[in-house]
Every structure is written in C-alpha cells, then in structure tokens.
C-alpha cells in the first residue's frame, strides 16, 4: 500500500523535493504506526534539501522531523498507547546500547537516528517509530500546535532548564525572536517566572514578542545589543543568554552576561567560528553550554508542563503537504513569526 509523502530525490533547491507516493512503512514488533496529521518545517529540512552533507542518508528519503497524529497500529500488549489515540513524536531514535543510552542520556547517543535526517520522516501520511518515541498528546492543542513541540520546544526546554538551569528569579536574553526555538524559549522562560529580553532586526517581531510577555525588546540592526542589555539590567547583565545564531551575535552575547553567567547555544546559522574571547570567559568565569534536542524524560516533563500551563506554540502559517515548496520558501525567507506547518490530509491515500 502506498501513501502520500514529500521526499528528497536529490540535493539542490525545491526542484529536488517531490510530492508523490511512497510505500507505507512496515511496523516491526515494538514499533507504532502513526497516522500523521501535522508536521512543521525546521531549518534542518532546508539543510537536507540543500546538501545533507555530513548526515548519513539514502535517497529517496521522506522529509520532516516532528509530527503529531493518531495511533494507527500498535502491539497488542502495549500498555500506554491505543489505536486512535492522539500522539506527538520524539524525533530521535537511539541505539539503546551505547554508554549514553544505557545511562538514560539518549540525546547523546553515538548512533542517534533522526527522523527526516537519517531515516524517513514525518512529511507523510504514516510513519513507523519505536513505541518509546510516541507520547500522548497534551489536551487543548491542535495537531499542528502539538507537532511543534517535538523539536523547537523540546530543544528550548533542555537549553533553559537542563543545560542553563534557569531559575524563576533570573533573567535571560533570547536572540532572534520570531524563529520557532526562540519563541519557544520566550514562552517557557516567562511561564517559569524569569525576566526575558529579546532581540530581532524586525520591529514588528519585537512588538509581537512584547505582546507575548517579553520584558524588553532590542533591535539588533539599529542598537548595540550589549549596551542595551546593560542599560535594561542596571549595568549587571543577564544570567543566561539563549542563542542559535552563532558568529554574528557571539560578541554581543558574551558581553551581555553577568559574571558567572551561562551562554547556551543550539545553532550557528550565521557561522560556527566566532572569536572565543577566552579572557572574558575565564576572567568573568562564564559558562558556554551546547545543546541539541532533549531526552525522553525531558520531553515527558515538557508535555506535562504544556498540559498544566496551557502553553500553545506560535504557528506562523500552515500549508497543505502539496504546497511543501511554499512552506520551505517561507522558512527560508526568515519572515516567519513562529512555526511554519504542514497539514497532512490522509483522505487521498492510494490503495
């Protein structure tokens, strides 16, 4: 049986992204077949389209990291999941055997296999994943909103609370507000009680972030960010810097930290070789923390937090799967405020 999917058949631009039919994946024992209702577009989808360099994969490959939908088929003795149940997916499949998996840190797995990167992903009507990667969906969310939790909000959760250990009385500077992970950080940090300062080069995005609860907004195109942060904090600096931009903001990020402060990063879209500024690091005793995705227990905690607080991810726009090119263009433009999503309609399933 075939299904509708968006998949890569080469590398380049949107011409290598096709929407057509692919076989419905098999469901080995211990796996769950999920009928995908929504997914979101992430930066790595653009990277996989452009080159996928350094990521082991085979073409054709279905795109997409995150997703939400309903359980289609599951083992008869599965105790936590049932057919028809709304679920959300964790995109990382660990090996279960390396030292990191065995000590419960699957996010550090040396043979991690990610949906949409190393294996077929979620831009399809069905996906098959191990049962451990399937979590009950928080109530009150649409499938589109729930799908957004699996990458951006999980990444922000680990960055803020596991790596940077943000406390309710502390302050955090979030670079690049408007992007999915930065907006997730704003939402999570505010709900946790922290003071949040945001930056963008777009005044409209700054205004929208203030309406969402940001305490201070800085236009990085017209203002010296570090000086503005110091002015906003009485010359002290922030406890935590949250960034995924890299070289373009690194100097400002370092100068914005209080003594003993923590910088946590999950990306380098503007370059991965910033000046180290080692003197500042050791004299001011700063901490530099890297982070990607999150463990299963962190995802469970995040989903519980969403359930209790009523957090709803910000969705910029939603496209049908057939318009995946437009969705990729929207993300690539940088004009989005929140997640660019795909709605996946299973009505056209081929026999």
């Amino acid at each position: 049986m075939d299904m509708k999917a968006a998949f890569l058949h080469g590398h380049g631009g949107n011409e290598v992204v096709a929407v057509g039919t692919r076989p419905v994946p098999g469901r080995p024992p211990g796996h769950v077949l999920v009928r995908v209702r929504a997914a979101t577009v992430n930066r790595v989808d653009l990277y996989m389209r452009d080159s996928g360099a350094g990521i082991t994969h085979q073409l054709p490959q279905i795109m997409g990291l995150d997703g939400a939908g309903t359980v289609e088929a599951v083992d008869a003795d599965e105790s936590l999941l049932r057919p028809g149940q709304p679920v959300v997916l964790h995109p990382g499949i660990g090996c279960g055997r390396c030292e990191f998996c065995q000590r419960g840190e699957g996010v550090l797995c040396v043979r991690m296999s990610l949906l949409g990167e190393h294996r077929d992903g979620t831009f399809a009507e069905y996906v098959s994943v191990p049962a451990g990667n399937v979590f009950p969906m928080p109530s009150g969310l649409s499938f589109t909103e729930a799908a957004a939790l699996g990458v951006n909000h999980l990444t922000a959760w680990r960055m803020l609370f596991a790596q940077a250990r943000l406390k309710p009385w502390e302050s955090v500077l979030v670079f690049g507000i408007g992007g999915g992970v930065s907006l997730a950080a704003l939402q999570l940090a505010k709900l946790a009680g922290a003071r949040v300062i945001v930056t963008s080069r777009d005044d409209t995005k700054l205004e929208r972030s203030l309406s969402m609860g940001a305490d201070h907004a800085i236009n990085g195109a017209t203002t010296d960010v570090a000086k503005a942060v110091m002015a906003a904090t009485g010359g002290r600096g922030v406890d935590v810097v949250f960034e995924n931009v890299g070289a373009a903001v690194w100097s400002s990020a370092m100068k914005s930290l209080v003594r003993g402060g923590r910088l946590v990063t999950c990306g380098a879209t503007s370059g991965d070789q910033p000046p180290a500024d080692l003197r500042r690091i050791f004299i001011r005793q700063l901490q530099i923390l890297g982070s990607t995705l999150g463990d299963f227990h962190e995802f469970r905690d995040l989903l519980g937090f969403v359930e209790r607080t009523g957090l709803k991810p910000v969705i910029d726009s939603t496209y049908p799967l057939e318009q995946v090119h437009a969705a990729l263009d929207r993300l690539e433009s940088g004009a989005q405020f929140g997640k660019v999503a795909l709605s996946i309609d299973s009505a056209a399933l081929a026999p």
Side-chain angles (χ1 to χ4, degrees):
M1 187 166 68
D2 289 337
M3 63 179 181
K4 182 171 56 180
F7 57 91
L8 295 170
H9 57 83
H11 296 295
N14 279 343
E15 74 280 356
V16 305
V17 179
V19 178
T21 58
R22 298 292 298 158
V24 172
R27 188 188 69 81
H31 280 54
V32 179
L33 184 66
V34 175
R35 180 175 174 177
V36 183
R37 301 302 183 95
T40 77
V41 185
N42 291 279
R43 283 282 165 187
V44 74
D45 295 310
L46 295 173
Y47 182 77
M48 292 300 297
R49 180 201 66 182
D50 294 347
S51 73
I55 297 175
T56 302
H57 62 286
Q58 294 182 335
L59 299 176
Q61 179 169 283
I62 298 171
M63 303 175 73
L65 271 77
D66 57 34
T70 54
V71 174
E72 184 73 11
V74 66
D75 288 351
D77 61 355
E78 167 60 43
S79 60
L80 299 179
L81 302 169
R82 64 186 186 278
Q85 181 178 4
V87 292
V88 61
L89 303 179
H90 185 295
I93 293 89
C95 71
R97 300 297 296 163
C98 70
E99 63 174 293
F100 305 104
C101 285
Q102 290 187 345
R103 70 188 190 202
E105 295 182 287
V107 73
L108 298 177
C109 176
V110 298
R111 292 186 290 275
M112 174 71 74
S113 174
L114 290 163
L115 297 175
E117 294 188 43
H118 308 95
R119 57 193 291 158
D120 282 338
T122 56
F123 292 1
E125 291 174 309
Y126 293 94
V127 66
S128 178
V129 295
N133 289 77
V134 183
F135 292 75
M137 197 173 98
S139 61
L141 297 183
S142 67
F143 285 114
T144 302
E145 292 166 337
L149 298 172
V151 172
N152 282 175
H153 281 74
L154 178 56
T155 299
W157 180 272
R158 179 174 175 85
M159 289 174 73
L160 289 173
F161 304 124
Q163 301 294 73
R165 305 176 308 284
L166 180 68
K167 306 298 189 300
W169 54 86
E170 291 185 321
S171 55
V172 56
L173 170 64
V174 177
F175 278 92
I177 204 68
V181 71
S182 295
L183 279 170
L186 168 60
Q187 290 182 301
L188 292 170
K190 285 303 299 180
L191 285 168
R195 183 185 184 201
V196 182
I197 300 172
V198 301
T199 81
S200 174
R201 300 172 66 86
D202 184 322
D203 283 334
T204 300
K205 292 182 180 181
L206 293 174
E207 291 169 4
R208 292 187 66 179
S209 68
L210 288 169
S211 71
M212 290 176 57
D215 297 279
H216 194 77
I218 301 168
N219 187 319
T222 59
T223 306
D224 184 307
V225 171
K227 289 182 179 178
V229 168
M230 288 301 168
T233 59
R236 178 183 181 273
V238 294
D239 299 285
V240 173
V241 166
F242 181 107
E243 79 90 26
N244 62 352
V245 178
V249 305
W250 195 261
S251 178
S252 294
M254 298 283 279
K255 293 175 182 177
S256 297
L257 281 167
V258 69
R259 288 175 177 270
R262 295 95 72 195
L263 185 153
V264 61
T265 179
C266 71
T269 55
S270 68
D272 62 359
Q273 299 294 320
D277 202 358
L278 290 178
R279 289 189 182 89
R280 181 176 296 274
I281 291 174
F282 66 72
I283 290 172
R284 299 179 70 86
Q285 300 194 39
L286 305 178
Q287 299 176 55
I288 311 299
L289 303 157
S291 192
T292 57
L293 206 57
D295 280 321
F296 285 168
H297 72 274
E298 291 166 337
F299 196 34
R300 184 184 64 245
D301 291 346
L302 166 64
L303 295 176
F305 184 84
V306 169
E307 183 79 48
R308 291 191 300 273
T309 62
L311 181 154
K312 289 183 180 293
V314 179
I315 305 301
D316 170 84
S317 49
T318 303
Y319 298 83
L321 182 63
E322 291 80 2
Q323 294 180 23
V324 63
H325 291 176
L328 291 166
D329 287 344
R330 176 65 178 173
L331 180 63
E332 194 167 30
S333 75
Q336 80 284 357
F337 189 87
K339 292 298 291 178
V340 178
L342 292 174
S343 176
I344 301 172
D345 178 10
S346 293
L349 183 63

